[in-house]
Amino acid sequence: MNSDQTFVIVGASLAGAKAAETLRAEGFAGRLVLVGAEEQRPYERPPLSKEYLRGEAGLDSVYVHPEGFYAEQEIELRLGTTAERLDTSNRELTLDDGARLRYDRLLLATGAEPRRLSVPGAELDGVLYLRSLRDSDVLRERLDAGGAVVVVGAGWIGSEVAASARQRGLDVTVVDPAAVPLERVLGLEVGAVYRDIHAGHGVRMLLGTGVEAFEGDAAVERVRTGDGRVLECDFVVAGVGARPRTGLAAQAGLAVDDGVLVDEHLQTSMPGVFAAGDVALARHPLYGQPVRVEHWDNALHQGPVAARSMLGLPAVYDRVPYFFSDQYDVGMEYAGFAREWDRVVFRGDPAGREFIAFWLAGDRIVAGMNVNVWDVSDAIQRLIRERVAVDDRRLADLDVPLHDVALVERGSPA
Ligand SMILES: Cc1cc2nc3c(=O)[nH]c(=O)nc-3n(C[C@H](O)[C@H](O)[C@H](O)COP(=O)(O)OP(=O)(O)OC[C@H]3O[C@@H](n4cnc5c(N)ncnc54)[C@H](O)[C@@H]3O)c2cc1C
């Protein structure tokens, strides 16, 4: 099948690696090139802020595929190589080593990169970011050395790093202008649960204030906050969000907004060019609008959908957005895509750290998060996907099964 064709994937991480795997599994017999800027073969990032960072899991546990996989599958891995220019009229990709690759189909799986702080002192040594295996190794050495860390940003990465640093015994301060951690996604009520979890583990939570400056001679020694505090520290980790790596796509004239715009088949505005993973702003059939998320599950499943679309097979990406996080002994899964809601319903006791939170707009669930409660995410995703009209009291009642929470007067329970 297509044995005289060349398919090129830019970005050798989760989305790119899963796309390559799927292309071969679906019988693509042509030349397949996977270009990656990093030196390592594709690996998973979630352990980098959790067990790998804490030294509880080794390098072997992070890779997407075993070492021999790419050679066995005749996937040309070009690591340590950056794609610099995309010429869609000639279907040619230029790499930083000067090589030019002609392609029949191209997948952009270039992911996202950390936003950088621009306050005075941001360039000082010891102001760290976390995205790559190398970043995690650098941070792991800092955790080994101990001391005091200021974590700037109480989003997912910042919260997980704060938890890991605390678990390794460091003195941890978190600074964020928001009122509670994870406020943008979880809102005040559920964010407060995470604030209390961190505070309960001895993290100093400085919320409602930002960083004004970092100070130190060569390396950072102090953080000055907007509310006038001076925090002495040995290093800083900034987790202030990420932005999609759209440079290559924009330079090639593809439609780009907050991500590379693709349809539900993950096809970009340019024939023959596809995008998947953190970089893709994909029209989502469930929401009727473009959605871009930075979730492991999204990269895992968009890669294969893009691969099938590249082969001309019918494929649509319509999964309910899903992610997970582990902080201390609190594990959670979140499903949905909620930017607005009018109330939160709890099932179980948030103080007991075993509960499900539902975000509702009218009588529909727009998102649900199970915390230390397992094997319920499929049921939650079904309620969201099928837009089941629910009854708040039934939803909150632990004795009513999740498949039975529909509003009774709107028809018989699901
Ligand atoms: C520390 C950390 C912890 C996380 N934890 C969780 C979690 O607990 N749960 C969860 O759901 N999600 C988590 N995520 C998010 C998840 O890891 C990402 O959604 C996922 O990695 C996205 O995969 P991707 O393949 O789309 O992009 P990326 O993983 O960003 O990979 C893109 C790759 O493309 C390469 N690249 C970019 N441009 C070029 C170019 N021009 N030429 C060649 N190569 C290029 C990059 O170097 C990179 O290797 C975490 C992320 C991080 C950083």
Side-chain angles (χ1 to χ4, degrees):
M1 185 172 156
N2 333 74
S3 56
D4 55 345
Q5 296 203 332
T6 298
F7 284 14
V8 176
I9 300 172
V10 186
S13 184
L14 186 57
K18 292 310 270 187
E21 176 192 311
T22 306
L23 284 168
R24 287 300 189 222
E26 293 284 1
F28 176 66
R31 182 178 180 207
L32 181 50
V33 189
L34 183 52
V35 182
E38 295 182 71
E39 298 292 339
Q40 302 83 3
R41 72 178 190 270
Y43 60 85
E44 314 248 5
R45 294 180 203 273
L48 307 188
S49 50
K50 310 180 186 71
E51 57 276 14
Y52 180 80
L53 176 62
R54 294 193 298 272
E56 295 162 11
L59 199 50
D60 281 353
S61 67
V62 305
Y63 292 114
V64 179
H65 294 114
E67 195 170 2
F69 174 83
Y70 301 95
E72 275 160 26
Q73 295 291 316
E74 296 187 33
I75 298 165
E76 276 177 54
L77 254 189
R78 299 184 75 143
L79 299 176
T81 305
T82 301
E84 283 193 329
R85 211 179 111 70
L86 174 58
D87 173 358
T88 54
S89 48
N90 290 311
R91 295 202 170 203
E92 191 175 79
L93 184 74
T94 306
L95 309 180
D96 62 354
D97 58 8
R100 290 175 178 205
L101 291 173
R102 293 293 298 270
Y103 65 84
D104 295 285
R105 300 277 183 280
L106 182 101
L107 174 63
L108 293 169
T110 49
E113 61 196 350
R115 286 184 191 281
R116 305 261 155 186
L117 288 164
S118 56
V119 297
E123 73 293 341
L124 282 170
D125 198 26
V127 178
L128 308 175
Y129 295 83
L130 176 57
R131 182 79 197 175
S132 67
L133 198 50
R134 186 187 293 204
D135 295 338
S136 185
D137 286 337
V138 168
L139 191 49
R140 192 191 327 196
E141 273 181 32
R142 296 282 186 158
L143 297 195
D144 287 345
V149 56
V150 173
V151 176
V152 181
W156 296 107
I157 302 279
S159 294
E160 290 187 353
V161 167
S164 287
R166 216 30 227 131
Q167 284 171 278
R168 291 293 316 277
L170 278 81
D171 177 68
V172 183
T173 305
V174 171
V175 181
D176 194 303
V180 293
L182 310 159
E183 183 180 3
R184 190 178 59 87
V185 178
L186 302 185
L188 284 175
E189 281 167 281
V190 185
V193 176
Y194 275 91
R195 176 198 59 207
D196 296 346
I197 290 170
H198 284 284
H201 280 88
V203 174
R204 185 151 45 135
M205 301 296 287
L206 298 183
L207 299 163
T209 188
V211 168
E212 290 251 303
F214 300 112
E215 294 173 355
D217 282 340
V220 64
E221 293 165 24
R222 287 174 302 281
V223 178
R224 241 172 231 290
T225 65
D227 63 359
R229 292 171 208 249
V230 178
L231 310 169
E232 302 288 331
C233 65
D234 295 292
F235 63 102
V236 166
V237 182
V240 290
R243 64 164 154 251
R245 286 201 194 87
T246 54
L248 202 57
Q251 161 266 307
L254 274 61
V256 166
D257 193 347
D258 174 40
V260 178
L261 275 156
V262 290
D263 63 14
E264 58 270 41
H265 312 290
L266 308 184
Q267 155 92 51
T268 69
S269 58
M270 204 65 77
V273 183
F274 299 77
D278 280 13
V279 77
L281 178 58
R283 185 170 173 75
H284 201 299
L286 204 56
Y287 299 104
Q289 57 167 305
V291 169
R292 189 182 74 79
V293 293
E294 293 162 5
H295 301 165
W296 173 88
D297 182 80
N298 180 71
L300 183 75
H301 292 100
Q302 279 196 346
V305 168
R308 292 191 184 99
S309 293
M310 290 164 86
L311 291 166
L313 300 170
V316 165
Y317 188 80
D318 63 355
R319 289 173 66 84
V320 173
Y322 162 94
F323 67 88
F324 59 91
S325 174
D326 296 314
Q327 294 164 45
Y328 314 99
D329 53 354
V330 182
M332 61 71 90
E333 297 173 290
Y334 176 103
F337 182 73
R339 290 294 174 262
E340 286 175 5
W341 57 85
D342 46 51
R343 65 198 183 285
V344 177
V345 171
F346 287 102
R347 181 181 176 93
D349 178 17
R353 315 279 189 250
E354 255 186 48
F355 65 98
I356 306 176
F358 293 98
W359 287 261
L360 286 107
D363 52 17
R364 311 293 151 135
I365 298 171
V366 289
M369 181 175 87
N370 44 303
V371 177
N372 283 349
V373 175
W374 304 110
D375 300 324
V376 291
S377 190
D378 286 349
I380 295 170
Q381 289 178 39
R382 194 171 65 81
L383 292 168
I384 296 169
R385 170 179 297 285
E386 294 177 5
R387 297 196 168 88
V388 176
V390 294
D391 179 311
D392 285 19
R393 273 177 310 153
R394 295 173 75 76
L395 203 54
D397 187 343
L398 286 162
D399 292 330
V400 178
L402 275 180
H403 59 78
D404 220 2
V405 294
L407 262 179
V408 176
E409 59 267 33
R410 297 269 173 111
S412 52

